[in-house]
Amino acid sequence: MFFRLGAVNAWRNLARSILAVVSMAVAAAFLTYTISLSRGYTREAYASFRQMLGGEIIVYAQKVQGELPKESSVWSFERPNENPFTDLQVFHPEIYRQGYLESSNTTIIDEDTQNSILAENGVDGVSPVYRLPAFTILTEQYRYSSDIRARDLSRESDVNSPKSLIYSGRWFEETDDGKAVAVVSRLQELPPGVKAPEPGSKILLEIPKIKKDQYGQIYVDYHDTISKEITIIGNLVAPTREFAWQGDIDTQTEILYWWTNEIQLPLGTWQAIWQEVSEGLVDYPISQLILQVSDLTYLEDIVLNLVNRYPESSFVSVPNQANMAMERQLIEKFLAVPQAMVQASEQKATQQGMAMDLRVPMMGLVLLNAALLVAANMLIMINERKREMAILKSVGAKRVDITIMALTEALILAVVGAGIGFIVFRIPGALNQMTNHQGVWTILKSVFEDLIQVLSATAAVSLLFGLIPAVKLAGMSVMNVLRSE
Amino acid sequence: MSLSDRPILETINLNKAFYLGEAVYAVNNVNIQVMPGEIAIIVGPSGSGKSTLLSLLGGLDRPISGDILINDQSIVKLNEDQLALMRRKNIGYVFQFFNLIPHLSALENVELPMSIASMSRKEARERARYLLDEVGLTPRAHHRPDQLSGGEQQRVAIARSLANRPAVVLADEPTGNLDSKTRDMVIDLFCRFNKTERQTFVLITHDTSLTQYAHRVITMKDGRINTIEVQNP
């Protein structure tokens, strides 16, 4: 009954209700816009990560699980075999600890699967990751780990090549393919006093041989190695983000970088090394892919689609992987930032290249504006509903009943407004998803998730701001109201 | 004294004052009793405290001292929500200006107290139809208050006041705004429900000609009880 009275009241003063609905619609539209933006990324987002990794989505053949299972009987606790052919050890070092969960034995991504992934909606390119363990020899006694990674120059473009990250020297040209040349990071984890090799210098690499055991399993024989002399032709530097903190006097900043000992080689050179270390007997096990996606607006939706389609493998967007790496401080070094600030910032990894993300405060302000209008609307409503409240109380309505009636009115205005705002802004987004060949289920799921978020936020705000006027109305004295009428 | 001989409504040294620079007693040391099945009429000039007394009896206002007993239960110390529950169960209220909910139909207005009391929708609708039939408004059941005459609105209000079968119906100048023909019709309704359902009524009026219908006539002046006459109507 009180819900119905609230609904009727919203309808009775249509002009005022329309005003409140429009303001809520604007707020909901902003909210929808913000949520939709957070689903995708701008063209330049996480650029250095994408350039270093060569694309927008990482595919690990193995299923990477980070959560404890609900039913222990379904899962086995095991330590996966060492897999030096992927970036798992870079981004998921925990996988090599005892007790980490692995649900799938898939370790190879075959050509059929690669072609199948390439045919998926939104995927523009598929590149296998070629990676090998290696060591740079400094002295006879000292060597340090520096894995080698192949770059397929034929697949590179501005957005997925580290060319623009070159600090000194140069990036590869097509004529370098097959030559013993390499590009390394200027910032490497090295012994004290040792500098990263500069362009023009030569380094000696020690590369373990790859063999098959009696069961046909590939393993790395660290006792049987080959040596290669490589000429460094370029140093690169990959900035990750700018870290700001409040110093004693003013705000301090430090630009953070990706510190890596990895050695980049042209694919032809890398393949020649593979032939040598595997003695031509072992095919390279492709267990990681990098996917190229040209439209980043719906990157996470593309990932979601792939996760549903290939449940045995792991898919993660480069921005998500980068955020994870930054939050867990896997790849950066803090030189100037006080340790306390670093710890406090663990959950605050921000998007590189975006100095200040104003979407959330803007959304908050617009929602606040709409909420204040709801509150003003409710305060006006109190005057109009006083007599009705007195009648209801005289026939036995309790304060909570009156509050429900008033809040129902506020809630209806908020939900109708939010619904209109959502439809106006999100339907074009859904059409855009369709033209980007997103699956129907993916689109529906993302629209539904956004709708729940928008409705929850607007409903919560309107209830919060409508509560005080509603309680005030419910607390009025019947006789005071009837006497003044 | 048997239970039926106990008053259904009783006030003990009841006082209510308004502070307008100094305390003005609208109800001053009032002691009245209303027995079950009675029609009690409170008469007196304007400003004698009749309406204030009625609002105190209905728990819509609070006294500064004294006690009010409904079915031997004191209501002065109940909180707002307990008072609401008490009204729901024990009190029917009829206002001079009808006070119907304007966007609900006559039928829905009568259903309102029953819905608030969580009666099933079917049961509430049946009783609302019965009461509207009793007050002669079955053909107007789906009309809103602004489509009804003053007399019809007051009959709807009377039907609403009887919805939850309250112990007492309190009526504040129920005929004050009606023409003489409609007034007679409304008084006839009170008498009829009093006889057929033994419903207790407490009416306030300026109109002394109505006292002929009362079992008990209470006269007020300056907030005090002047006389109480018990009679056979």
Side-chain angles (χ1 to χ4, degrees):
Chain A
M1 172 59 82
F2 295 101
F3 291 111
R4 196 185 147 213
L5 283 173
V8 172
N9 284 340
W11 180 251
R12 271 164 69 200
N13 202 331
L14 205 55
R16 187 172 44 75
S17 294
I18 287 173
L19 197 65
V21 162
V22 169
S23 72
M24 264 301 168
V26 171
F30 239 86
L31 195 57
T32 309
Y33 169 74
T34 308
I35 291 170
S36 298
L37 266 188
S38 68
R39 286 193 163 276
Y41 305 90
T42 57
R43 195 172 185 281
E44 299 302 319
Y46 299 87
S48 61
F49 288 93
R50 289 159 56 204
Q51 289 166 335
M52 288 290 281
L53 291 166
E56 284 71 34
I57 298 173
I58 303 172
V59 185
Y60 299 115
Q62 287 168 301
K63 187 76 181 170
V64 179
Q65 294 286 337
E67 291 175 7
L68 284 171
K70 284 179 182 155
E71 291 176 42
S72 56
S73 59
V74 178
W75 301 83
S76 60
F77 287 80
E78 60 180 60
R79 183 180 176 200
N81 295 327
E82 184 182 18
N83 186 344
F85 311 118
T86 71
D87 290 323
L88 276 171
Q89 63 185 17
V90 176
F91 293 118
H92 296 276
E94 76 281 0
I95 200 167
Y96 294 114
R97 284 186 211 130
Q98 188 67 33
Y100 191 79
L101 296 165
E102 184 195 27
S103 68
S104 140
N105 291 321
T106 310
T107 53
I108 305 291
I109 305 174
D110 59 30
E111 206 170 324
D112 286 347
T113 310
Q114 290 179 46
N115 289 332
S116 168
I117 290 174
L118 181 60
E120 292 292 339
N121 295 330
V123 178
D124 296 329
V126 174
S127 306
V129 168
Y130 298 99
R131 206 168 178 283
L132 269 176
F135 299 90
T136 301
I137 298 171
L138 288 179
T139 65
E140 278 185 15
Q141 288 80 30
Y142 199 89
R143 59 182 195 162
Y144 65 92
S145 174
S146 44
D147 301 305
I148 56 177
R149 173 191 289 268
R151 308 293 313 204
D152 186 351
L153 303 177
S154 66
R155 289 174 187 258
E156 288 197 340
S157 66
D158 287 346
V159 290
N160 63 24
S161 157
K163 200 172 182 178
S164 65
L165 301 177
I166 289 294
Y167 171 80
S168 59
R170 64 177 179 85
W171 183 244
F172 301 117
E173 292 164 359
E174 285 193 17
T175 52
D176 292 324
D177 212 11
K179 292 182 184 168
V181 290
V183 172
V184 295
S185 173
R186 184 81 173 174
L187 301 167
Q188 297 191 30
E189 293 275 6
L190 297 172
V194 178
K195 284 185 175 177
E198 293 183 10
S201 61
K202 291 182 187 298
I203 55 169
L204 193 60
L205 285 180
E206 187 180 89
I207 307 160
K209 284 193 173 176
I210 308 295
K211 297 177 179 174
K212 274 187 177 174
D213 63 17
Q214 55 183 329
Y215 305 108
Q217 295 289 319
I218 297 172
Y219 72 98
V220 183
D221 187 350
Y222 289 99
H223 303 291
D224 188 4
T225 61
I226 64 163
S227 293
K228 278 275 163 196
E229 191 181 66
I230 301 280
T231 303
I232 303 298
I233 59 166
N235 280 170
L236 56 80
V237 168
T240 54
R241 55 177 159 156
E242 187 172 295
F243 194 96
W245 74 98
Q246 188 58 48
D248 292 337
I249 300 167
D250 54 7
T251 304
Q252 309 276 311
T253 58
E254 180 183 350
I255 296 175
L256 302 179
Y257 298 94
W258 186 341
W259 290 62
T260 175
N261 290 10
E262 215 170 58
I263 295 170
Q264 316 272 337
L265 298 174
L267 181 57
T269 312
W270 189 96
Q271 282 172 331
I273 292 174
W274 174 263
Q275 282 299 318
E276 207 170 325
V277 294
S278 66
E279 294 174 345
L281 300 173
V282 183
D283 289 334
Y284 178 69
I286 294 172
S287 43
Q288 183 185 346
L289 303 175
I290 294 287
L291 311 185
Q292 287 86 39
V293 171
S294 58
D295 184 356
L296 268 67
T297 315
Y298 296 101
L299 179 60
E300 296 303 342
D301 287 334
I302 295 168
V303 173
L304 186 68
N305 202 33
L306 291 167
V307 168
N308 290 333
R309 300 268 291 125
Y310 304 89
E312 290 298 305
S313 297
S314 299
F315 295 82
V316 60
S317 70
V318 168
N320 264 346
Q321 188 80 92
N323 274 334
M324 189 191 297
M326 288 191 286
E327 279 171 21
R328 297 161 72 188
Q329 298 160 30
L330 296 175
I331 54 171
E332 297 161 315
K333 257 192 174 180
F334 296 85
L335 300 179
V337 188
Q339 191 55 34
M341 298 295 170
V342 176
Q343 284 166 357
S345 74
E346 279 181 11
Q347 300 303 319
K348 292 183 185 169
T350 52
Q351 188 170 326
Q352 186 252 331
M354 188 177 278
M356 184 181 271
D357 189 348
L358 287 174
R359 284 173 299 165
V360 172
M362 281 294 287
M363 182 187 71
L365 282 176
V366 174
L367 266 182
L368 181 68
N369 196 21
L372 290 174
L373 204 73
V374 167
N377 179 42
M378 291 281 288
L379 285 170
I380 297 168
M381 183 269 280
I382 284 180
N383 270 331
E384 295 170 355
R385 303 282 177 271
K386 277 197 298 192
R387 190 177 185 83
E388 195 168 311
M389 177 280 300
I391 297 168
L392 289 168
K393 272 193 163 182
S394 73
V395 296
K398 292 200 286 187
R399 281 175 297 188
V400 67
D401 300 325
I402 307 288
T403 308
I404 287 171
M405 181 186 79
L407 285 182
T408 302
E409 187 174 345
L411 194 62
I412 285 172
L413 298 180
V415 169
V416 170
I420 292 170
F422 182 81
I423 288 168
V424 168
F425 265 66
R426 191 59 176 83
I427 296 304
L431 291 174
N432 193 2
Q433 281 178 290
M434 284 166 82
T435 54
N436 277 306
H437 308 293
Q438 296 292 301
V440 173
W441 176 241
T442 306
I443 296 172
L444 286 178
K445 196 173 173 193
S446 65
V447 168
F448 183 71
E449 282 172 1
D450 291 357
L451 179 64
I452 294 295
Q453 285 189 51
V454 169
L455 289 186
S456 313
T458 47
V461 157
S462 68
L463 288 180
L464 196 67
F465 281 76
L467 191 62
I468 292 170
V471 168
K472 193 178 169 190
L473 177 69
M476 283 180 168
S477 151
V478 176
M479 283 321 289
N480 285 346
V481 171
L482 292 180
R483 273 193 206 106
S484 63
E485 288 285 314
Chain B
M1 196 180 277
S2 70
L3 192 64
S4 60
D5 293 333
R6 294 285 306 146
I8 198 162
L9 180 67
E10 183 177 10
T11 68
I12 302 164
N13 301 331
L14 195 65
N15 288 294
K16 173 71 182 178
F18 295 100
Y19 294 89
L20 306 164
E22 57 177 325
V24 177
Y25 278 79
V27 172
N28 195 343
N29 204 30
V30 166
N31 290 284
I32 60 167
Q33 291 185 336
V34 177
M35 304 306 283
E38 277 188 352
I39 295 179
I41 292 187
I42 304 173
V43 289
S46 284
S48 60
K50 306 184 300 290
S51 292
T52 306
L53 176 61
L54 201 74
S55 65
L56 292 171
L57 296 179
L60 299 178
D61 212 347
R62 288 182 182 276
I64 57 167
S65 64
D67 206 354
I68 302 165
L69 306 177
I70 295 178
N71 276 332
D72 282 333
Q73 299 288 313
S74 171
I75 67 164
V76 296
K77 287 187 180 156
L78 300 180
N79 66 27
E80 276 285 304
D81 288 339
Q82 288 168 329
L83 277 175
L85 289 176
M86 184 280 296
R87 278 195 295 274
R88 204 180 277 184
K89 210 171 152 189
N90 293 314
I91 305 289
Y93 226 101
V94 181
F95 297 94
Q96 180 179 358
F97 296 103
F98 328 127
N99 282 341
L100 301 175
I101 304 276
H103 48 273
L104 297 183
S105 68
L107 189 67
E108 290 167 330
N109 265 289
V110 179
E111 279 179 21
L112 190 63
M114 296 181 275
S115 301
I116 290 172
S118 307
M119 192 184 283
S120 76
R121 193 176 167 78
K122 191 183 167 200
E123 204 180 340
R125 181 132 293 198
E126 273 175 17
R127 177 145 176 87
R129 284 188 197 284
Y130 162 75
L131 288 168
L132 280 181
D133 192 44
E134 286 291 303
V135 299
L137 284 178
T138 299
R140 315 284 275 165
H142 296 290
H143 289 66
R144 285 198 311 273
D146 59 358
Q147 297 166 321
L148 301 172
S149 69
E152 287 172 328
Q153 287 188 57
Q154 195 59 300
R155 280 145 68 193
V156 174
I158 290 168
R160 182 181 67 185
S161 73
L162 294 163
N164 282 335
R165 299 181 179 86
V168 187
V169 172
L170 307 174
D172 187 357
E173 301 274 12
T175 58
N177 218 27
L178 306 176
D179 59 60
S180 61
K181 190 180 163 197
T182 317
R183 184 202 74 153
D184 291 344
M185 196 188 296
V186 166
I187 286 300
D188 180 56
L189 273 177
F190 285 133
C191 293
R192 191 146 53 85
F193 281 112
N194 174 252
K195 284 201 178 84
T196 57
E197 301 200 7
R198 276 190 53 79
Q199 177 65 54
T200 308
F201 289 96
V202 177
L203 314 182
I204 282 178
T205 182
H206 278 101
D207 186 353
T208 49
S209 68
L210 296 184
T211 55
Q212 60 180 305
Y213 303 104
H215 301 90
R216 191 176 295 260
V217 179
I218 300 162
T219 311
M220 283 187 79
K221 192 179 177 188
D222 297 332
R224 292 174 181 277
I225 300 297
N226 217 7
T227 59
I228 298 177
E229 291 173 32
V230 180
Q231 62 186 29
N232 281 321

